[in-house]
């Protein structure tokens, strides 16, 4: 059964591709491409059949090579890719089989049905511009789309808003960002659920502005985007900012702040490849920023209450003590320091929240619950 792999489409990523036969089955082996950065995690490609249609029961060995080199890849059994047949819908693969080579290298293997035509394979559910178009259409054009500037690669940076706001307004406001790390697609699905909730409850909605694809170059190029050179977008928020995308979003944040009573900035991310303890939030270091930490705690408590028991990590409130390649501020630090607005980073796993296997609708539920909690707080004056 001749097969080949395609990566020439938006968001695609795979390298070291090998197509052959093993144990009587066609085999397709691959690994994520770091695209010039120090970290790899995101993959997305299309497997295309050539020749006669497969027989019923024909299987393909799908092999993820070098999972230990992925960010957070120490427990690759928790990596659960998604697949979509031509004209079909995305499905989550079950737990793969771990294979250890004689020299200790690891591979994860899934036996999947042979494609009748083609099959897309991704680390998690992709989210791109067509999905944003679906969101706007399915919420009956509640969201207004505007281009606020361009990326370092010259692509338009889109912001959507439920209202342009009014200078000097006291209407409570939220500013939302996703995909500073371009491969972290769970953040997009959570943001999608947040925005759908707001659109479904417009009567007393806060002013909400959102940048769905902060690192639009990385999204379109299929980059993972974590710590990519020349500068990680989420570490480019210093004075002066180190990325043009950061300049653009900072200018938009200033516009937003002038048109509402700013309440909260939320930055939606995904953690390491194998993290599965549930959704959590990163707060400022209490030793260095005690006032900011206490302010963030109030909002994190709302998130924790909204996400238990299905989605919340055992410890929703976390401090990022891991070593960073960059010492410059991130989005949430910028919110606190420059805007005097609380900021939270929300991390949602790629596959599992404890024992819950995540789907697109479950990611949207996470976003909807977060939206309900924070919107109620500001409407009630609790923000």
């Amino acid at each position: 059964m001749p097969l080949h792999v395609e990566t020439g489409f938006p968001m695609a990523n795979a390298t070291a591709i090998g197509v052959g036969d093993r144990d009587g089955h066609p085999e397709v082996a691959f690994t994520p491409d770091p695209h010039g950065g120090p970290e790899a995690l995101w993959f997305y490609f299309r497997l295309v059949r050539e020749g006669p249609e497969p027989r019923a029961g024909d299987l393909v060995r799908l092999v993820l090579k070098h999972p230990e080199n992925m960010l957070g890849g120490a427990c690759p059994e928790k990596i659960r890719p998604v697949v979509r047949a031509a004209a079909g819908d995305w499905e989550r693969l079950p737990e793969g089989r771990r294979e250890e080579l004689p020299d200790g290298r690891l591979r994860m293997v899934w036996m999947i049905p042979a494609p009748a035509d083609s099959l897309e394979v991704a680390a998690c559910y992709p989210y791109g511009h067509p999905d944003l178009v679906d969101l706007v259409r399915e919420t009956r054009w509640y969201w207004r789309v505007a281009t606020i500037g361009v990326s370092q690669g010259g692509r338009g940076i889109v912001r959507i808003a439920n209202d342009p706001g009014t200078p000097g307004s006291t209407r409570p406001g939220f500013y939302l960002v996703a995909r500073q790390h371009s491969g972290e697609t769970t953040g997009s699905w959570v943001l999608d659920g947040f925005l759908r909730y707001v659109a479904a409850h417009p009567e007393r909605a806060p002013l909400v502005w959102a940048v769905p694809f902060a690192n639009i170059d990385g999204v379109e190029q299929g980059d993972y985007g974590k710590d990519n050179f020349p500068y990680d977008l989420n570490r480019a928020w210093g004075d002066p900012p180190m990325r043009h995308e950061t300049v653009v979003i900072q200018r938009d944040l200033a516009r937003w702040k002038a048109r509402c009573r700013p309440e909260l900035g939320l930055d939606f991310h995904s953690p390491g490849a194998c993290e599965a303890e549930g959704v959590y939030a990163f707060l400022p270091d209490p030793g260095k920023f005690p006032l900011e930490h206490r302010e963030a705690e109030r909002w994190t408590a709302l998130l924790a209450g909204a996400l238990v028991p299905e989605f919340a990590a055992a410890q929703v409130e976390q401090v990022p003590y891991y070593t960073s390649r960059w010492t410059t501020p991130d989005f949430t630090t910028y919110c606190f320091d420059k805007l005097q607005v609380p900021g939270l980073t929300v991390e949602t796993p790629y596959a599992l929240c404890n024992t819950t296997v995540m789907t697109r609708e479950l990611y949207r539920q996470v976003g909807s619950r977060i939206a309900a909690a924070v919107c109620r707080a500001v409407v009630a004056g609790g923000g």
Side-chain angles (χ1 to χ4, degrees), residues 90-327:
W90 289 103
E91 299 179 12
R92 178 81 72 177
L93 292 181
E95 181 176 320
R97 184 175 75 254
R98 177 185 178 124
E99 288 186 352
E100 186 168 338
L101 300 178
D103 61 0
R105 287 175 294 152
L106 299 179
R107 292 149 56 107
M108 290 302 299
V109 179
W110 294 267
M111 300 301 298
I112 61 174
D117 183 4
S118 64
L119 186 76
E120 292 177 82
V121 180
C124 189
Y125 303 102
Y127 192 105
H129 183 71
D131 300 289
L132 183 63
V133 171
D134 289 344
L135 165 69
V136 173
R137 185 185 67 251
E138 291 167 9
T139 55
R140 300 184 178 183
W141 292 272
Y142 174 79
W143 296 102
R144 309 179 189 192
V145 181
T147 300
I148 58 174
V150 297
S151 67
Q152 292 191 171
R155 294 178 174 89
I157 299 174
V158 169
R159 180 252 289 146
I160 65 174
N162 59 351
D163 194 275
T166 304
S169 171
T170 59
R171 182 181 181 183
F174 300 137
Y175 199 99
L176 316 175
V177 175
R179 304 293 281 281
Q180 292 208 71
H181 300 144
S182 45
E184 296 182 356
T185 61
T186 68
S188 285
W189 291 108
V190 172
L191 173 62
D192 188 287
F194 189 110
L195 298 174
R196 288 176 187 270
Y197 175 89
V198 173
H201 300 82
E203 308 84 12
R204 302 176 68 188
L207 181 71
V208 178
W209 289 15
V211 178
F213 306 115
N215 189 350
I216 185 61
D217 291 344
V219 170
E220 291 296 317
Q221 293 163 183
D223 299 345
Y224 170 44
K226 171 70 172 174
D227 282 353
N228 267 20
F229 299 118
Y231 226 91
D232 184 315
L233 183 54
N234 195 37
R235 296 296 185 274
W237 290 82
D239 187 9
M242 298 298 290
R243 291 276 297 257
H244 187 65
E245 295 89 343
T246 316
V247 172
V248 170
I249 300 172
Q250 285 179 359
R251 301 295 185 271
D252 202 51
L253 278 162
R255 284 188 289 266
W256 164 78
K257 184 180 179 183
R259 287 164 171 76
C260 67
R261 185 182 77 238
E263 295 282 357
L264 180 66
L266 285 173
D267 187 13
F268 294 104
H269 284 257
S270 310
C274 301
E275 290 191 35
E277 69 265 35
V279 181
Y280 59 90
F282 278 136
L283 285 69
D285 185 340
K288 298 178 180 177
F289 309 104
L291 296 178
E292 291 85 350
H293 183 86
R294 286 197 294 272
E295 182 71 13
E297 280 183 313
R298 297 194 301 116
W299 291 100
T300 308
L302 293 174
L303 269 63
L307 297 176
V308 294
E310 300 98 323
F311 304 122
Q315 182 63 47
V316 175
E317 176 189 310
Q318 299 191 24
V319 175
Y321 289 125
Y322 60 82
T323 301
S324 174
R325 291 183 173 90
W326 319 99
T327 58

Side-chain angles (χ1 to χ4, degrees), residues 3 46-50 53-54 85-87 114-119:
L3 299 167
R46 185 180 295 121
L47 178 61
V48 180
R49 178 186 58 79
E50 300 172 333
E53 290 192 11
D117 183 4
S118 64
L119 186 76

